[in-house]
Amino acid sequence: MNKAGLDGIQAEGKKVLMRVDFNVPLDSSRNITDDTRITAALPSIKFVLAQGGSVILMSHLGRPKGKIVSEMTLRPVADRLAELVDAPVKFAIDTVGPDASEKSSRLQPGEILLLENLRFNPGETTNDEGFAAGLAQLADTYVNDAFGTAHRAHASTVGVTKHFATCRAGFLMEKELKNLGGLLSEPRRPFVAILGGAKVAGKVEIILNLLDQVDVLLLGGGMIFTFFKSAGLNIGKSLLDEGSLEVVKEITLKSKDSKADLILPTDCTVATEFNDKADRKDVLVTDIPSDWMGLDIGQVSTRSYQEIVLKAKTIFWNGPMGVFELPSFAAGTRGIAEAVAEASDNGAMSVVGGGDSVAAVNQFGVSDRIGHISTGGGASLELMSGRQLPGIEALCDA
């Protein structure tokens, strides 16, 4: 994962085509509610401008499925970017059409051009050769700073790279590769991974891979009830990922021969319904009432998990322990967030990846104490699963 970086670029007088991840949340009035992904790309953008180059930015927003959807235009992003940089920001109303072509041809050193939503064109997600070639014609060299889309073989991440002699990783991409790659290549031990979230499906490969990599794997979130059901326990009205029952048996079997300790909660917080005001109580996982549902790990398990995390030298966390959006069921996730932060304060290397985990560390006010917060949920999961990411493979080696 040692890829050519921005430090070696000769950008003076050049137009740099840069894939960024500006897939930001918007409210009903199309106001940006969180500009983190825009600010995360600024170091790479400013570096090219400072060298005397110009930048042509391309990103997707939402899932328009190859059609023009006015609610998913990147124009609000262009407006916000113009407020954040001391440089002219132009906006093209297309990607490979006449407006993009004209504005890119007139782009001067020190200027920025943001193209319209890549996914308005069906050729983006199908990695269409013609669409990729059209994007490449706009610029002299290519940089990918969108780790969050590196697991997609799209025109802007893979196809376009065939048209440039050198394809580099931006600063954000380099940071992700260094931190996530370091977890798998040379972690300090004990190495503790914490996985949560609703379903086992989508986490199977990372669970199986981490069983060969970590010392302890802690599980939480809705997925635990599929493990309990597989073990023959009554889970009441708790979430069941029925399609994963067989693979859970495979995971459980592998864990017995792996070097990692696979640990599940011994108690959980249950409620009569999915409601913050519902009756709730902590019970042993063997004693879940038939008409109740599990919505968080219990207090005993939270304390036990915290003790394990605090002894760790390397930590990877993806997925909440419960329905932390509801205050009544946030204790488990808050406990993990605080433990990861405290372990980081004490010198542990910590990486938090995945949208819900990132939202959790922000909600509980510990984000500034985490070693690295990954910007790519799906990409970070696939990397930690041991997969090759197409968008990274397409970049030139250092």
Side-chain angles (χ1 to χ4, degrees), residues 226-300:
T226 302
F227 279 85
F228 297 148
K229 183 71 173 180
S230 175
L233 301 180
N234 176 40
I235 63 169
K237 296 190 295 183
S238 305
L239 182 68
L240 173 63
D241 183 3
E242 201 160 354
S244 298
L245 283 170
E246 285 303 312
V247 79
V248 161
K249 291 177 182 176
E250 178 190 341
I251 291 169
T252 304
L253 196 63
K254 176 174 180 176
S255 70
K256 293 175 181 176
D257 296 323
S258 72
K259 70 174 184 179
D261 291 328
L262 178 66
I263 299 178
L264 290 155
T266 55
D267 66 331
C268 61
T269 303
V270 296
T272 51
E273 54 187 84
F274 193 90
N275 188 310
D276 197 41
K277 301 289 193 292
D279 292 337
R280 68 183 191 277
K281 60 183 177 180
D282 276 17
V283 297
L284 293 174
V285 298
T286 52
D287 297 332
I288 298 173
S290 295
D291 54 348
W292 291 58
M293 63 181 71
L295 296 175
D296 195 11
I297 63 173
Q299 294 181 49
V300 173

Side-chain angles (χ1 to χ4, degrees), residues 55-233:
V55 184
I56 300 171
L57 299 171
M58 51 181 181
S59 177
H60 73 285
L61 177 63
R63 295 179 178 175
K65 298 181 179 178
K67 298 177 182 177
I68 295 174
V69 180
S70 59
E71 293 79 14
M72 297 181 190
T73 177
L74 280 169
R75 188 174 288 278
V77 175
D79 294 339
R80 180 68 184 124
L81 181 61
E83 296 170 355
L84 294 170
V85 295
D86 186 21
V89 177
K90 304 175 187 297
F91 180 71
I93 61 171
D94 50 28
T95 47
V96 295
D99 196 45
S101 180
E102 181 189 357
K103 285 177 178 170
S104 64
S105 67
R106 294 183 178 182
L107 202 62
Q108 298 299 309
E111 294 182 341
I112 299 169
L113 172 64
L114 174 62
L115 305 180
E116 183 54 285
N117 193 335
L118 286 164
R119 292 186 185 173
F120 283 179
N121 190 307
E124 164 63 358
T125 55
T126 60
N127 194 15
D128 180 75
E129 288 185 12
F131 184 60
L135 291 171
Q137 286 177 354
L138 302 175
D140 303 305
T141 190
Y142 174 82
V143 171
N144 191 343
D145 210 23
F147 176 73
T149 60
H151 59 312
R152 307 290 188 197
H154 288 175
S156 66
T157 58
V158 174
V160 72
T161 63
K162 298 172 183 175
H163 300 273
F164 295 103
T166 307
C167 299
R168 300 178 181 274
F171 292 136
L172 183 61
M173 178 74 83
E174 283 188 301
K175 185 179 179 184
E176 293 277 9
L177 296 181
K178 176 185 176 183
N179 285 286
L180 288 165
L183 292 185
L184 296 176
S185 61
E186 44 193 31
R188 289 185 296 139
R189 303 205 178 261
F191 182 2
V192 175
I194 311 135
L195 292 181
K199 293 187 175 183
V200 180
K203 299 270 176 91
V204 175
E205 287 188 13
I206 188 171
I207 292 173
L208 292 172
N209 193 49
L210 287 176
L211 285 173
D212 293 327
Q213 305 282 345
V214 304
D215 299 297
V216 182
L217 178 55
L218 304 173
L219 297 186
M223 73 163 81
I224 60 175
F225 300 104
T226 302
F227 279 85
F228 297 148
K229 183 71 173 180
S230 175
L233 301 180

